[in-house]
Amino acid sequence: MMIQLSEMLSPRPEPLWKLIKQCGVDNVVALLNGAEQDQRMFASVGKDGFSGTPSDDIPWGEAAIRRDIEIFAEHGLKVIAIEDTAPMDKVRLGLPGRDEQIENILTQIRAMGRLGIPTLCYNWMAISSWGRTSVDIIGRGGALVTGFRAADVASLPPLAEPGEITEDQLWDALGYFLDAVIPVAEEAGVRLGMHPDDPPRATGRNVPHIMRSPEAFRRLLSLRPSTSNGITFCQGNFALMDADLPALIREFGGLDRISFVHFRDVRGTADDFQETFHDEGQTDLPECMRAYAEVGFSGPMRPDHVPTMHGESNDRPAYGALGRLFAIGYIRGLEQSVYGKPLLPMEHALS
C-alpha cells in the first residue's frame, strides 16, 4: 500500500508533464478545460493563469472528460481525480437556478463513475477562490512565495455587501447539496472531498467562510454519513486552524473520510502567514506522513502552493514548475521512509 502521488494539471500539454514523469509521477489530478476552477483559480490573485480555448463540448460532460483522459494518456499520465466542477455559486449561495447547477454536478459525477475516476475535490468558497494579499514575498534564497495579511484586506474590493451572505445560508445550501449529490456519488463509486476555505478565516471580503475549523468538518461529515462525503485534507489550511495535524489525520482518516490530500505547509497564523518550501514550514510533515500510513491512506496526494524559484516567471503564483518538482521529491522521500520502498516491476514478477 502506497499513496497515489499526483500532480494537478490542466488538459493542455506543457513541458511540466515530461518533468513530472521523469520524477516518477504518473497520476494526474485534473482541471477541466473551461470549468470553474480552471477559470477561477488564478483570477483570485490577480493573474490570468491557464490559457486555452474550451472546446464545444460541455467541460464537465462525459465526452469532454474522456477526451481529457485521452490527452493525458498520450503522455503516459492517468487521471485519478478531478479538482474542478461546473460553476456552482448558485448552489453554494442557495440561489434560484441551483437545481440546474446541481444537475451539472450530477452529470459530472456519473461521467466520472463510468470513466473510472473515483475522487472529486470541491469547495464551498463562494464567488472567489483561494485568497492572498501578496504573491511575491521574498522567501528562502530569493524564491517568491504567496502570503496573506488580514491588515491588507481592506485595500481589496468587497465581493458582497456586509450581511448580504450569511453563514446559515451557506450551511443550509450545503445540506441541500449533499442530500442531492451524495446518493448519486455512492452509486457512481465517486468520493467527494471538501476543500477548506483558504484562508480559513470567518470572512473574506464580506463573504462568510464556513469550512474554517475542524469542528466545521466534523459537522460536514455528520450532515451525510458516507465515505462519499469526505475531506480534501489541505494541510496548509488545517495548520492555520491551530490544529494538531497528525491527530486530525488519525481522526478523519480513522473514519475513512479523507478522500484526497494536499501535502503542503505554511508559516504563521490565519491572519498573517506565508507559504513555504515543504522542509521549512511549521508542521511536522514526517509525523503527518506516519499518520497517513497508520490509518491506511492510499488515495491521491499532491503538493500544492510551492515557491516560484530562480529563473521562473511568477505568472502562476504558487504553481511554478521547479517548486513542484522539489515538492514531489520531498514527498516521495517521506513516503518511502514511512510506507516502505515499493517493489520494482521485475521484483513483482519474481515475488
Side-chain angles (χ1 to χ4, degrees):
M1 179 192 68
M2 305 290 285
I3 64 171
Q4 298 178 65
L5 184 55
S6 317
E7 253 301 352
M8 186 184 73
L9 302 172
S10 70
R12 298 181 280 273
E14 58 180 316
L16 178 64
W17 293 22
K18 288 185 179 293
L19 294 173
I20 68 168
K21 283 282 294 181
Q22 291 171 3
C23 289
V25 173
D26 300 319
N27 298 318
V28 172
V29 176
L31 295 171
L32 299 176
N33 189 5
E36 185 179 78
Q37 294 307 308
D38 184 57
Q39 300 297 302
R40 177 180 282 186
M41 65 177 297
F42 289 109
S44 63
V45 291
K47 298 289 184 178
D48 293 334
F50 296 111
S51 62
T53 302
S55 72
D56 293 334
D57 291 324
I58 297 171
W60 47 89
E62 186 167 347
I65 296 174
R66 181 183 292 109
R67 186 182 57 253
D68 293 347
I69 290 172
E70 291 169 352
I71 291 170
F72 286 119
E74 288 172 1
H75 294 77
L77 298 166
K78 179 182 179 182
V79 178
I80 64 168
I82 293 177
E83 193 163 343
D84 207 347
T85 63
M88 54 184 297
D89 271 342
K90 291 178 182 177
V91 183
R92 297 181 181 104
L93 298 171
L95 298 178
R98 67 175 169 180
D99 289 332
E100 290 81 0
Q101 289 194 339
I102 287 175
E103 191 56 43
N104 291 336
I105 304 297
L106 297 180
T107 294
Q108 177 179 338
I109 289 171
R110 293 185 180 108
M112 290 174 62
R114 288 190 291 267
L115 295 169
I117 305 173
T119 305
L120 173 61
C121 173
Y122 73 111
N123 68 73
W124 219 247
M125 291 180 276
I127 305 175
S128 67
S129 183
W130 58 294
R132 297 292 183 270
T133 55
S134 300
V135 297
D136 54 2
I137 300 169
I138 304 301
R140 185 172 73 189
L144 302 180
V145 300
T146 69
F148 177 89
R149 288 203 320 158
D152 296 335
V153 173
S155 64
L156 300 175
L159 298 173
E161 295 300 318
E164 179 183 354
I165 303 169
T166 68
E167 288 198 14
D168 285 345
Q169 174 184 351
L170 294 173
W171 276 112
D172 289 346
L174 177 56
Y176 186 94
F177 171 78
L178 293 175
D179 285 344
V181 168
I182 294 303
V184 175
E186 291 172 338
E187 183 177 351
V190 173
R191 300 187 65 177
L192 274 64
M194 170 72 85
H195 190 286
D197 291 322
D198 186 0
R201 303 176 68 247
T203 61
R205 298 161 66 183
N206 293 338
V207 177
H209 291 163
I210 62 171
M211 303 312 303
R212 65 177 190 265
S213 68
E215 292 74 21
F217 278 85
R218 295 181 185 110
R219 180 176 176 180
L220 166 76
L221 299 186
S222 71
L223 287 175
R224 192 82 194 202
S226 168
T227 54
S228 286
N229 177 26
I231 299 169
T232 293
F233 199 89
C234 183
Q235 295 184 160
N237 287 297
F238 280 103
L240 294 171
M241 298 174 194
D242 294 326
D244 180 335
L245 261 64
L248 271 186
I249 293 165
R250 293 181 173 100
E251 175 187 343
F252 293 141
L255 299 171
D256 193 20
R257 302 296 281 277
I258 297 178
S259 304
F260 176 31
V261 175
H262 286 178
F263 202 89
R264 55 180 279 250
D265 207 0
V266 295
R267 186 185 303 121
T269 68
D271 288 337
D272 188 351
F273 70 90
Q274 65 184 54
E275 312 280 2
T276 67
F277 284 97
H278 280 69
D279 62 328
E280 61 167 352
Q282 64 194 37
T283 306
D284 187 340
L285 295 187
E287 185 60 24
C288 287
M289 189 65 79
R290 284 189 283 272
Y292 290 120
E294 287 176 19
V295 300
F297 178 77
S298 59
M301 177 184 289
R302 74 168 181 87
D304 198 13
H305 292 197
V306 299
T308 298
M309 297 180 69
H310 177 72
E312 291 187 297
S313 162
N314 200 34
D315 289 343
R316 297 181 189 172
Y319 289 91
L322 297 180
R324 292 162 86 171
L325 300 179
F326 175 91
I328 287 168
Y330 180 90
I331 296 170
R332 181 69 85 198
L334 280 188
E335 176 196 24
Q336 292 196 6
S337 71
V338 172
Y339 284 76
K341 186 179 184 298
L343 293 175
L344 297 174
M346 181 59 69
E347 293 171 322
H348 277 296
L350 296 175
S351 63

